[in-house]
Amino acid sequence: LRRCLATAKAPSTLFESLDTFTDRHVGPDDSEATFMLSKLGYDSMESFLAATVPPNIRIADDTISDASIPALSESELHARAKALGRKNLQFKSYIGMGYHNAVVPPVILRNVMENPAWYTPYTPYQPEIAQGRLESLVNYQTMIMSLTAMDIANASLLDEATAAAEGMVMAYVHSGHKKKTFFADKAVLPQTIAVLRTRAKGFGIRLVVGDASTALRDDGLRADLSGVLLQYPDVNGQITDYKDLAKEVHGSGALVVCATDLLALTLLTPPGEWGADIVLGNSARFGVPTGYGGPHAAFFAVTDSLKRKMPGRLIGRSKDTMGNPAYRLALQTREQHIRREKATSNICTSQALLANMAAMYAIYHGPVGLTRIAKKVHFFTQLLRASVERLGFKVANDAYFDTLTIDVTPVCKNAEVVHAAAALQFVNLKKIDSTRVGVALDESVSQEDLKVLVELFATAASGPKGILDEIAQPAGTAIPSSLTRTSKFLSHSVFNTYHSETEMLRYIFHLASKDLSLVHAMIPLGSCTMKLNSTSSMIPLTWPEFGGVHPFAPAEQVEGYRQIIKELEADLCKITGFHSCSVQPNSGAAGEYAGLTVIRAYQESRGEGHRDVCLIPLSAHGTNPASAVMAGLKVVAVKTHADGNLDLADLKVKAEKHKDNLAAFMITYPSTFGVFEDGVTDACKIIHEYGGQVYLDGANLNAQVGLTNPAVCGGDVCHLNLHKTFAIPHGGGGPGVGPICVAEHLAPFLPSHPLLKTGGNKAIDAISAGPFGSASVLLISWAYIKMLGGNGLSQSTNTALLNANYMAQRLAGHYTLRFKNANGCVAHELLIDLAEFDKVAGLKVTDFAKRLQDYGFHPPTCSWPISTCMLIEPTESETLEEIDRFCDAMIQIRKEVDDIVSGKQPRDNNLLKNAPHPLSAMILPDKEWNRPYSRQEAAYPMPWLRERKFWPTVSRIDDAYGDLNLVCDCPSVEELSSS
Amino acid sequence: LRRCLATAKAPSTLFESLDTFTDRHVGPDDSEATFMLSKLGYDSMESFLAATVPPNIRIADDTISDASIPALSESELHARAKALGRKNLQFKSYIGMGYHNAVVPPVILRNVMENPAWYTPYTPYQPEIAQGRLESLVNYQTMIMSLTAMDIANASLLDEATAAAEGMVMAYVHSGHKKKTFFADKAVLPQTIAVLRTRAKGFGIRLVVGDASTALRDDGLRADLSGVLLQYPDVNGQITDYKDLAKEVHGSGALVVCATDLLALTLLTPPGEWGADIVLGNSARFGVPTGYGGPHAAFFAVTDSLKRKMPGRLIGRSKDTMGNPAYRLALQTREQHIRREKATSNICTSQALLANMAAMYAIYHGPVGLTRIAKKVHFFTQLLRASVERLGFKVANDAYFDTLTIDVTPVCKNAEVVHAAAALQFVNLKKIDSTRVGVALDESVSQEDLKVLVELFATAASGPKGILDEIAQPAGTAIPSSLTRTSKFLSHSVFNTYHSETEMLRYIFHLASKDLSLVHAMIPLGSCTMKLNSTSSMIPLTWPEFGGVHPFAPAEQVEGYRQIIKELEADLCKITGFHSCSVQPNSGAAGEYAGLTVIRAYQESRGEGHRDVCLIPLSAHGTNPASAVMAGLKVVAVKTHADGNLDLADLKVKAEKHKDNLAAFMITYPSTFGVFEDGVTDACKIIHEYGGQVYLDGANLNAQVGLTNPAVCGGDVCHLNLHKTFAIPHGGGGPGVGPICVAEHLAPFLPSHPLLKTGGNKAIDAISAGPFGSASVLLISWAYIKMLGGNGLSQSTNTALLNANYMAQRLAGHYTLRFKNANGCVAHELLIDLAEFDKVAGLKVTDFAKRLQDYGFHPPTCSWPISTCMLIEPTESETLEEIDRFCDAMIQIRKEVDDIVSGKQPRDNNLLKNAPHPLSAMILPDKEWNRPYSRQEAAYPMPWLRERKFWPTVSRIDDAYGDLNLVCDCPSVEELSSS
Ligand SMILES: Cc1ncc(COP(=O)(O)O)c(C=O)c1O
Ligand SMILES: Cc1ncc(COP(=O)(O)O)c(C=O)c1O
Ligand SMILES: O=C([O-])O
């Protein structure tokens, strides 16, 4: 087969744009598609689709077509993005409130953020081919531990507000679910308090917001108190010494939760040194653009005694079978897909890429550089304070790092006068109330900027110009001496080595060289939809027009963003068949939680707030039950038949049984078993009959677009993983976006935000810190949809189905395909069962997975949703050649298995059990090699590997050892020098 | 030693910018510098410099300081570049004349052009660690051969005009230097004719420009004719059938040289099929931005019989010692550093990166996609023709591809009316004369653009709007049927495979994975100055403000570019101490040729045109004598002493001997032996006394900046390699820029350009096709200078000297340092002599070089300027740690040598002779391994290699085999399927 552009057809008119995206996005060209169809016994795509998708849920062909969503070529998309970008006005924002202008070191911008080797990998579930980003995430954890002075830190959470919510829930769990009160200081960021409010409700926590300095005098509160949240420095910029308060909190048996700022901690006593139990915040000011609110990596650190209850992913150091040190996801048993309804957090996708950027930033600057930056920011803030005071303004906070709250009334009529003067200089200050304005400085502020700031205050005060030049260099600092940091930080070698650009560049490339990503081969992770993350969709992301925007910038300055979000929401509604959309949730799991919370608010509004049962099939993703629990629901499991289909009879029984309290039913469609079930509409009818709402988990939406949709299937709400179906790169474990789309009756309840209007008129509280969640990466999905257009979107789904079915057919006869529909078709992924090989050859799923690494492939999803299975999803972006290569590898492995079954190879020392085979094993001399097969068979089982081979950098990693000996930071200088 | 930011010092005031570039560019920090100085026995940098650089040529410390060149921080530089970029107005240009708007596929833009793994490597002199870009350059050669239907093509030349000049000289050489007349058709591009004129003069060729259709009637011309240059399609857009003319030319024993257009050749009968002997042109419209004139890769293809005389680099297929196919630079004996004064071309640096981009473009589109693009461009041109004719304009050319010459007089007063209408639409048309305008269409033209074009003609003609909608789709084509391409092209597998973005991305990364670049390790190539190519300096390069500008755009549209060029020229003058600068030459060698030509023009202007002797030391780079020959000079060699210094007595003798005809003396300073010679000013005095001019080869300028300069040394003119001292990345063999700086008396002679004013008032003809040469990459050097500022520039040079001297000291005792000055100091590089090891162990320079590959290093420059030596240049960007790593490797190799000397290891089967050791060797079973050392010793001789190791992908390559069996294209489908 000779390959051509994907569509291969001559353009329909000579006028047509030639850089059409569908041609590049979809792997197989027309002749390959025809070939695959014929292998499957179909004479047309339409007949194949008819056999695959139940007719009762098919939508009209023109629902999603170029008529409903016109396609832009790649260059047209860029022209449009430029034009919209120009509508984001380039004001300089000093709004602060958790979001600071970042200076992204160019070497990190280009070689991490803009490098597909960094942005396309998946979560490092396969550590042998992910040592690079695992090391980087350990650097991140180390940085957090060191700056906060805490014992352990995780590898990021979604944002500061949800991290605070996780902290609140941890405190609650820590109290044995006994103490229902959680206290938040009123000077905590307002968006954090809004998210706490949402989360508190689901868990039945009583959230009290007040003045922390006096609140604990209330005995009633103390008695029921699980924890106290403090902001350090607080929303007004004030730095408070919480040492005594922390003792009091501990005295009442509660936990101290502290939200803080990494840059400030280079100068301030870290919370770990004054008694905090949980420390969290946003790491974005370490070199991650504000991006109109995200994505950013939140951090989360705890004391040693809390470590095994910490939410989120944690990377640990362990060793491989050859005794070499190796990194891996630690304590994986905590991951929600295991804990299910016992979970108290649903974190899955988090913010790996952004955490890596922040870690690289700290590595590039080192402790000396970071301190220099912090000192300059603080010095400028002192100068600003002195200047505005000289002008007659009154600064409300005396102890501060970078943020001032300024009372304008001594010299101005009201705050509006100052804001007006600011606007003339293209400056945004923080709007507090009619008498006060806020100013937060950051690394990006130049001497020139500072001058502009002072002059605008002078203008507002009708005061003299040139004050700044008269101000003497302040003597001391405005940080209380009791809170001045004395402890060293970031003394590890990695933070003290890569300070020249050349060294940094080499470190970045060296780590990347250890990681398998989409730049190498297919990543057929079922349920993850690892399709092309196109360059065209990634390019506008790092334009300053989109990167530099503050999330709380006035609406008239962000018309470009707003338009893009509006169009994206509209397109997602078209695609799902729903009425309204919210892009606020920062991951699929966050979307689940948001959707269920919306359902509950709706039911409450109808006087049905007591409904609290959620039916969930046993085959569901672990985030589903976890999210249900977080929304205050009780999970009741629904069975599936042996053929993989939902047991409708069981569903009916359970629905009937719980009819008085039935809140919702959560279902994934096509099912997590990889099949379009016939009964989906029936199932939804049953639920509706019993007064429940249907939540559709949209992780598998890639199988639906243009063919069916969640609304037609009978759902009321669904989330979409934009980082799956809509091509946001996974970033090695995040960012993600999990917008929810809802039917009209649910639209009024979509989430609000305390700082600007989002959601419906009966909106639930905020789900994320940012009004539009991880706003900047929405650009990627917007571009994806606009470039494919309706026809391309449909063609993508059709091809995803075709690729999966072709693969199923090629593997049949070699492996047991677990489920298919009555016509023998799978959906966009397939589940093969490897249980039989355990019996006959002692082989587990992991052995197959590790052996696939030797073939240069990322293994499919393992042991989920069935422990003995692999879930394989090729997506539409892979070509026939790549799919055949993968099938050839699987078939060859099957032959290797035969040799074990037949006794040719021993059960305990064979190609699969010893897999993967890193280079370090290859170069052993024969006597140490000591295996009943050759190096060639180990490393080059297929001829194409001689030309292209991705090498695992370690051998199989010992998980148990790592969990027993939990080490989550990078080696100290002492450790390094002793080894 | 704990590393810190390079300067480590606290900023002098807290106001200082923190993202200062010097900290990132210079590898060693202050404590490392102090450590190195102390190891060398100096207590200060100043005392070290005093020992290194002769006092008589030192300049004042403040000559190059922040006072003379202020430093901008990285973010300040970007702000400035943005502001200047905005002064390049975004007109849409239809000027053509060899420059077309390109659509760069985003996947190539980001992953080749913006990827340091592609842009930082050097020319692939070490093929075992360069198979990726060698394969890519073979793809380029294959693409050129296939599209032109020629037997062989090289791996790029500097630009179309110089390629034509190379063609002219080849024709002359082919005539046995007998036929002195070369004919160029008058419809050849004017900039090509200008460059031919310059070049003809040096060789004493008589260039005749006229009408090719009638010229051969002149018997006199025919008798002396070496070749005829034709443009196909020509400057007016006309396509002429040259079949009969070609026969006539051949009949008179001359060669047919054809300048052509790659996109047109997808539809036109290729020149190889109608008799062309040499075919050349610009490949830029295959996805390389216009960039105000360059850099672009020119192509050059010839018939089989001419192949061994072809200028430029040629990549061939050979095999390695294990019998595996492997690519390499073929026929290296043709390289100018060997041919010296026997050369007829001085090409060294060429345009590898741009050639790779063009090849990737063809791979991404494939023959079907390219044809689609060509057909659309042609179709739009037909529509434009029909539209303007309907409006009453007269189109002068009937057979055309994409370019029309339009007589406006039937409907407009003059051409200015049309240009004025165009300007209102932000459109540039080609200015021809008062009655005619030209329009050249390209891939970027959308239907909307076409409409704007037609409407502006309508406005000019006061004709009706909307004509375009009325024009019927043209029936046939405007390409004569006799010239319609019938032969297939690009049928090789590589052009028919990577059409999805995913596949393309993987191919790009796969090739890059085979190449050692600055992202991996030091590349200590002496005389090449492989310093950091900073991200900050690379980022503006791909902004559309700079990428999309046509070189012949009106001056008022390009103020941003003009300002940058002006500032760069001014800074280069400050640095060299000279009066004026021309940035036109596209490489160091082109600079040499330009400088010598300027000298000759100056002498001619004084009635000394007969001066034609050029003195050149034997140690000079091969381009020096080659350039001298090209400038019409006779080369006379000057000796050097055993201590490496120039033999002043011999110089005096030769100068005296040739005093009547002495034109110039060329000298490299510090010398190519890596030493600051004391006698440089004396040497220059001698030359001046005898009426000669001094040409200073600035390849080693990195040793001079801020300490001395070519003017103080006594030179009259110098070239600079901006791709060395001034940080333009080498791109794997180009782009380069070789500006010349000259003393005041030479300024009037700086090169001109036929299309806009450059150079002095007695300017020589053009040296390059573009008025400012490779204008876009000038941004990189401009940014480099502005970000370092004077202090940073000086610190860079000081550190480069220190690094080299420290390295010399560490290697002393292990290796023989060939030359140093009286104080025991080298300059910025060092020459070690390996001759002794040949005698005692049968080891050649190559054996050491290949063994260094096993250690993960790029070998230094080998066998130049002395065949038994290695020339090592660490540059200022490498840290102490990296330098120590390199020295450790060299010292370890020395121990390996001892084992051979002592007989422990055999002479013919040892670690050096068998190096490099690729992976494929590692996995051989013991019985095939068959070497008296272990795999571990072969692959991991140093402990740090276990963590970071770059693997050669093939074993040592057989050069002789490749030269004997010259194969320069990629395998055909047949070959592939048979293997
Ligand atoms: C079926 C299903 N639901 C939910 C999720 C959770 O999505 P996220 O990782 O974006 O939180 C996943 C993630 O893979 C999934 O596969
Ligand atoms: C001393 C010297 N002169 C001239 C040149 C030629 O420069 P270019 O490669 O830019 O043509 C070189 C290139 O390495 C050189 O080292
Ligand atoms: O990321 C998943 O848990 O699938």
Side-chain angles (χ1 to χ4, degrees), chain B residues 122 348-349 527 587-589 592 621 623 668 697 699 719 721 723-724 864:
Chain B
Y122 202 74
C348 183
T349 289
S527 207
S587 70
E592 294 167 20
H621 194 260
T623 50
T668 304
D697 179 326
H719 81 259
N721 302 62
H723 46 298
K724 299 182 179 184
W864 186 85

PDB file of all heavy atoms in Angstrom, chain B residues 122 348-349 527 587-589 592 621 623 668 697 699 719 721 723-724 864, ligand 2:
ATOM      1  N   TYR B 122      26.663  20.567  14.064  1.00  0.00           N
ATOM      2  CA  TYR B 122      27.597  21.080  13.066  1.00  0.00           C
ATOM      3  C   TYR B 122      27.497  20.251  11.783  1.00  0.00           C
ATOM      4  O   TYR B 122      26.759  19.274  11.710  1.00  0.00           O
ATOM      5  CB  TYR B 122      29.030  21.035  13.635  1.00  0.00           C
ATOM      6  CG  TYR B 122      29.926  22.010  12.898  1.00  0.00           C
ATOM      7  CD1 TYR B 122      29.811  23.380  13.126  1.00  0.00           C
ATOM      8  CD2 TYR B 122      30.840  21.571  11.952  1.00  0.00           C
ATOM      9  CE1 TYR B 122      30.584  24.278  12.413  1.00  0.00           C
ATOM     10  CE2 TYR B 122      31.619  22.468  11.239  1.00  0.00           C
ATOM     11  CZ  TYR B 122      31.486  23.824  11.470  1.00  0.00           C
ATOM     12  OH  TYR B 122      32.239  24.708  10.761  1.00  0.00           O
ATOM     13  N   CYS B 348      31.894  26.169   1.854  1.00  0.00           N
ATOM     14  CA  CYS B 348      32.180  25.421   3.066  1.00  0.00           C
ATOM     15  C   CYS B 348      30.844  25.356   3.808  1.00  0.00           C
ATOM     16  O   CYS B 348      30.022  24.482   3.532  1.00  0.00           O
ATOM     17  CB  CYS B 348      33.284  26.155   3.827  1.00  0.00           C
ATOM     18  SG  CYS B 348      33.851  25.376   5.312  1.00  0.00           S
ATOM     19  N   THR B 349      30.554  26.291   4.687  1.00  0.00           N
ATOM     20  CA  THR B 349      29.207  26.382   5.241  1.00  0.00           C
ATOM     21  C   THR B 349      28.219  26.569   4.099  1.00  0.00           C
ATOM     22  O   THR B 349      28.444  27.389   3.202  1.00  0.00           O
ATOM     23  CB  THR B 349      29.125  27.599   6.196  1.00  0.00           C
ATOM     24  OG1 THR B 349      29.882  27.283   7.369  1.00  0.00           O
ATOM     25  CG2 THR B 349      27.691  27.906   6.587  1.00  0.00           C
ATOM     26  N   SER B 527      38.041  26.099  15.639  1.00  0.00           N
ATOM     27  CA  SER B 527      37.763  27.016  14.540  1.00  0.00           C
ATOM     28  C   SER B 527      36.272  27.132  14.234  1.00  0.00           C
ATOM     29  O   SER B 527      35.903  27.808  13.293  1.00  0.00           O
ATOM     30  CB  SER B 527      38.520  26.606  13.267  1.00  0.00           C
ATOM     31  OG  SER B 527      38.746  27.738  12.462  1.00  0.00           O
ATOM     32  N   SER B 587      28.228  33.451   4.013  1.00  0.00           N
ATOM     33  CA  SER B 587      29.070  32.492   4.731  1.00  0.00           C
ATOM     34  C   SER B 587      30.425  33.158   4.920  1.00  0.00           C
ATOM     35  O   SER B 587      30.706  34.199   4.312  1.00  0.00           O
ATOM     36  CB  SER B 587      29.263  31.212   3.914  1.00  0.00           C
ATOM     37  OG  SER B 587      30.089  31.457   2.791  1.00  0.00           O
ATOM     38  N   GLY B 588      31.236  32.541   5.758  1.00  0.00           N
ATOM     39  CA  GLY B 588      32.575  33.057   5.947  1.00  0.00           C
ATOM     40  C   GLY B 588      33.338  33.088   4.634  1.00  0.00           C
ATOM     41  O   GLY B 588      33.976  34.090   4.286  1.00  0.00           O
ATOM     42  N   ALA B 589      33.254  32.007   3.893  1.00  0.00           N
ATOM     43  CA  ALA B 589      33.979  31.937   2.627  1.00  0.00           C
ATOM     44  C   ALA B 589      33.492  33.013   1.657  1.00  0.00           C
ATOM     45  O   ALA B 589      34.290  33.644   0.952  1.00  0.00           O
ATOM     46  CB  ALA B 589      33.822  30.544   2.014  1.00  0.00           C
ATOM     47  N   GLU B 592      35.121  36.146   2.629  1.00  0.00           N
ATOM     48  CA  GLU B 592      36.508  36.230   2.154  1.00  0.00           C
ATOM     49  C   GLU B 592      36.549  36.726   0.710  1.00  0.00           C
ATOM     50  O   GLU B 592      37.296  37.642   0.357  1.00  0.00           O
ATOM     51  CB  GLU B 592      37.172  34.843   2.183  1.00  0.00           C
ATOM     52  CG  GLU B 592      37.350  34.262   3.560  1.00  0.00           C
ATOM     53  CD  GLU B 592      37.722  32.781   3.499  1.00  0.00           C
ATOM     54  OE1 GLU B 592      38.203  32.306   2.440  1.00  0.00           O
ATOM     55  OE2 GLU B 592      37.527  32.090   4.510  1.00  0.00           O
ATOM     56  N   HIS B 621      43.119  28.329   6.483  1.00  0.00           N
ATOM     57  CA  HIS B 621      41.956  27.512   6.136  1.00  0.00           C
ATOM     58  C   HIS B 621      41.870  27.432   4.621  1.00  0.00           C
ATOM     59  O   HIS B 621      42.176  28.394   3.915  1.00  0.00           O
ATOM     60  CB  HIS B 621      40.694  28.180   6.694  1.00  0.00           C
ATOM     61  CG  HIS B 621      39.493  27.295   6.690  1.00  0.00           C
ATOM     62  ND1 HIS B 621      38.516  27.357   5.746  1.00  0.00           N
ATOM     63  CD2 HIS B 621      39.130  26.304   7.538  1.00  0.00           C
ATOM     64  CE1 HIS B 621      37.575  26.457   6.009  1.00  0.00           C
ATOM     65  NE2 HIS B 621      37.927  25.803   7.097  1.00  0.00           N
ATOM     66  N   THR B 623      39.558  27.650   2.597  1.00  0.00           N
ATOM     67  CA  THR B 623      38.737  28.619   1.881  1.00  0.00           C
ATOM     68  C   THR B 623      39.549  29.848   1.495  1.00  0.00           C
ATOM     69  O   THR B 623      39.224  30.503   0.500  1.00  0.00           O
ATOM     70  CB  THR B 623      37.545  29.082   2.743  1.00  0.00           C
ATOM     71  OG1 THR B 623      38.036  29.472   4.030  1.00  0.00           O
ATOM     72  CG2 THR B 623      36.520  27.979   2.904  1.00  0.00           C
ATOM     73  N   THR B 668      44.813  34.643   9.537  1.00  0.00           N
ATOM     74  CA  THR B 668      43.807  34.331  10.550  1.00  0.00           C
ATOM     75  C   THR B 668      44.399  34.675  11.905  1.00  0.00           C
ATOM     76  O   THR B 668      45.561  34.351  12.165  1.00  0.00           O
ATOM     77  CB  THR B 668      43.434  32.838  10.489  1.00  0.00           C
ATOM     78  OG1 THR B 668      42.993  32.534   9.167  1.00  0.00           O
ATOM     79  CG2 THR B 668      42.331  32.502  11.480  1.00  0.00           C
ATOM     80  N   ASP B 697      41.074  37.005   8.376  1.00  0.00           N
ATOM     81  CA  ASP B 697      40.029  35.984   8.474  1.00  0.00           C
ATOM     82  C   ASP B 697      39.540  35.981   9.917  1.00  0.00           C
ATOM     83  O   ASP B 697      40.291  35.675  10.844  1.00  0.00           O
ATOM     84  CB  ASP B 697      40.623  34.627   8.082  1.00  0.00           C
ATOM     85  CG  ASP B 697      39.611  33.487   8.172  1.00  0.00           C
ATOM     86  OD1 ASP B 697      38.746  33.515   9.060  1.00  0.00           O
ATOM     87  OD2 ASP B 697      39.707  32.566   7.334  1.00  0.00           O
ATOM     88  N   ALA B 699      37.446  34.136  11.559  1.00  0.00           N
ATOM     89  CA  ALA B 699      36.867  32.916  12.131  1.00  0.00           C
ATOM     90  C   ALA B 699      37.194  32.792  13.612  1.00  0.00           C
ATOM     91  O   ALA B 699      36.441  32.201  14.379  1.00  0.00           O
ATOM     92  CB  ALA B 699      37.359  31.686  11.376  1.00  0.00           C
ATOM     93  N   HIS B 719      36.361  39.350   7.569  1.00  0.00           N
ATOM     94  CA  HIS B 719      34.999  38.820   7.624  1.00  0.00           C
ATOM     95  C   HIS B 719      34.794  38.258   9.023  1.00  0.00           C
ATOM     96  O   HIS B 719      35.758  37.920   9.712  1.00  0.00           O
ATOM     97  CB  HIS B 719      34.764  37.726   6.570  1.00  0.00           C
ATOM     98  CG  HIS B 719      35.264  36.371   6.952  1.00  0.00           C
ATOM     99  ND1 HIS B 719      36.455  35.847   6.490  1.00  0.00           N
ATOM    100  CD2 HIS B 719      34.738  35.423   7.762  1.00  0.00           C
ATOM    101  CE1 HIS B 719      36.648  34.646   7.008  1.00  0.00           C
ATOM    102  NE2 HIS B 719      35.638  34.359   7.785  1.00  0.00           N
ATOM    103  N   ASN B 721      32.416  35.294  11.051  1.00  0.00           N
ATOM    104  CA  ASN B 721      31.440  34.226  10.890  1.00  0.00           C
ATOM    105  C   ASN B 721      30.408  34.411  11.997  1.00  0.00           C
ATOM    106  O   ASN B 721      30.659  34.057  13.145  1.00  0.00           O
ATOM    107  CB  ASN B 721      32.097  32.858  11.024  1.00  0.00           C
ATOM    108  CG  ASN B 721      33.220  32.661  10.015  1.00  0.00           C
ATOM    109  OD1 ASN B 721      34.193  33.396  10.044  1.00  0.00           O
ATOM    110  ND2 ASN B 721      33.070  31.690   9.140  1.00  0.00           N
ATOM    111  N   HIS B 723      27.952  32.800  12.449  1.00  0.00           N
ATOM    112  CA  HIS B 723      27.584  31.459  12.932  1.00  0.00           C
ATOM    113  C   HIS B 723      28.689  30.862  13.797  1.00  0.00           C
ATOM    114  O   HIS B 723      28.638  29.697  14.153  1.00  0.00           O
ATOM    115  CB  HIS B 723      27.253  30.550  11.753  1.00  0.00           C
ATOM    116  CG  HIS B 723      28.240  30.618  10.624  1.00  0.00           C
ATOM    117  ND1 HIS B 723      28.486  31.763   9.908  1.00  0.00           N
ATOM    118  CD2 HIS B 723      29.055  29.690  10.101  1.00  0.00           C
ATOM    119  CE1 HIS B 723      29.403  31.532   8.995  1.00  0.00           C
ATOM    120  NE2 HIS B 723      29.768  30.285   9.091  1.00  0.00           N
ATOM    121  N   LYS B 724      29.677  31.639  14.127  1.00  0.00           N
ATOM    122  CA  LYS B 724      30.670  31.204  15.111  1.00  0.00           C
ATOM    123  C   LYS B 724      30.602  32.188  16.271  1.00  0.00           C
ATOM    124  O   LYS B 724      29.850  32.003  17.212  1.00  0.00           O
ATOM    125  CB  LYS B 724      32.072  31.174  14.488  1.00  0.00           C
ATOM    126  CG  LYS B 724      32.162  30.206  13.317  1.00  0.00           C
ATOM    127  CD  LYS B 724      33.559  30.121  12.723  1.00  0.00           C
ATOM    128  CE  LYS B 724      33.528  29.114  11.589  1.00  0.00           C
ATOM    129  NZ  LYS B 724      34.828  28.874  10.987  1.00  0.00           N
ATOM    130  N   TRP B 864      43.327  19.076  10.883  1.00  0.00           N
ATOM    131  CA  TRP B 864      43.390  20.427  10.353  1.00  0.00           C
ATOM    132  C   TRP B 864      43.724  21.363  11.496  1.00  0.00           C
ATOM    133  O   TRP B 864      43.179  21.205  12.586  1.00  0.00           O
ATOM    134  CB  TRP B 864      42.056  20.846   9.719  1.00  0.00           C
ATOM    135  CG  TRP B 864      42.200  22.190   9.066  1.00  0.00           C
ATOM    136  CD1 TRP B 864      42.661  22.462   7.815  1.00  0.00           C
ATOM    137  CD2 TRP B 864      41.936  23.472   9.686  1.00  0.00           C
ATOM    138  NE1 TRP B 864      42.720  23.810   7.608  1.00  0.00           N
ATOM    139  CE2 TRP B 864      42.284  24.457   8.732  1.00  0.00           C
ATOM    140  CE3 TRP B 864      41.479  23.872  10.937  1.00  0.00           C
ATOM    141  CZ2 TRP B 864      42.168  25.818   8.998  1.00  0.00           C
ATOM    142  CZ3 TRP B 864      41.359  25.230  11.203  1.00  0.00           C
ATOM    143  CH2 TRP B 864      41.695  26.189  10.236  1.00  0.00           C
TER     144      TRP B 864
HETATM  145  C1  LIG C   2      39.632  29.885   9.703  1.00  0.00           C
HETATM  146  C2  LIG C   2      38.409  29.764   8.864  1.00  0.00           C
HETATM  147  N1  LIG C   2      38.232  30.557   7.809  1.00  0.00           N
HETATM  148  C3  LIG C   2      37.140  30.472   7.031  1.00  0.00           C
HETATM  149  C4  LIG C   2      36.144  29.561   7.278  1.00  0.00           C
HETATM  150  C5  LIG C   2      35.005  29.466   6.332  1.00  0.00           C
HETATM  151  O1  LIG C   2      33.780  29.887   6.879  1.00  0.00           O
HETATM  152  P1  LIG C   2      32.405  29.375   6.318  1.00  0.00           P
HETATM  153  O2  LIG C   2      32.268  27.944   6.697  1.00  0.00           O
HETATM  154  O3  LIG C   2      31.400  30.217   6.998  1.00  0.00           O
HETATM  155  O4  LIG C   2      32.363  29.565   4.850  1.00  0.00           O
HETATM  156  C6  LIG C   2      36.283  28.704   8.368  1.00  0.00           C
HETATM  157  C7  LIG C   2      35.202  27.714   8.660  1.00  0.00           C
HETATM  158  O5  LIG C   2      35.276  26.873   9.503  1.00  0.00           O
HETATM  159  C8  LIG C   2      37.432  28.812   9.177  1.00  0.00           C
HETATM  160  O6  LIG C   2      37.589  28.000  10.239  1.00  0.00           O
END
